[in-house]
Amino acid sequence: MIRQPGSDDSTPTPEELCARVEGTREELGMEVEEAAGKTADVKEQAQAKAAELKETAQAKGAELKAQAQVKGAELKGQAQVKGAELKGQAQTRAAGAKAQAQVKAAEVLERTPQPVREKAYQVGESARTNVKPLIGFGLAVLAVCVVVSRAGRR
């Protein structure tokens, strides 16, 4: 028995098959377009999110930089204040030490007998006016010390 096309309901005709294939193609085309649209949408969302994160990071970086500059200026000011404070303390201590030295010098001068003071003054004046002989004497003393120290090593 030969079957005739279209005589049996369970077997589709070639036209029906073509129509089904065409319908399936259209469905697949729409699904592909929808998937492509979703993919493009996801890509756009990712780019937008990346741009947003970049802007946020730049803003945060600028904020941190500004905070660091403020903190640096604050620390610099504190260091300058502390430096000025320490300089003042050092000057105060130096002035105190100078005053103490002057007091001690005055005390020593008071205790020194007049003839010794006069002789010390004369020696100082003589040293200021006759520098060359004093340097020669100092070099001679140094030479003697070197000779004595070398002789002691032998």
Side-chain angles (χ1 to χ4, degrees), residues 82-98:
K82 190 66 173 177
E85 182 181 313
L86 291 174
K87 182 179 177 182
Q89 288 176 357
Q91 288 174 339
T92 302
R93 288 182 181 172
K98 181 179 178 182

Side-chain angles (χ1 to χ4, degrees), residues 61-129:
E63 180 184 335
L64 290 174
K65 182 179 177 182
Q67 287 177 354
Q69 288 174 337
V70 167
K71 190 67 173 177
E74 190 177 298
L75 290 174
K76 182 179 178 183
Q78 289 175 355
Q80 287 174 340
V81 167
K82 190 66 173 177
E85 182 181 313
L86 291 174
K87 182 179 177 182
Q89 288 176 357
Q91 288 174 339
T92 302
R93 288 182 181 172
K98 181 179 178 182
Q100 285 178 350
Q102 288 173 341
V103 167
K104 290 292 182 186
E107 288 175 6
V108 168
L109 191 59
E110 281 182 25
R111 293 181 186 162
T112 306
Q114 184 63 30
V116 173
R117 279 190 269 171
E118 288 175 4
K119 195 65 171 173
Y121 179 77
Q122 289 174 358
V123 169
E125 284 297 313
S126 176
R128 275 182 237 136
T129 56

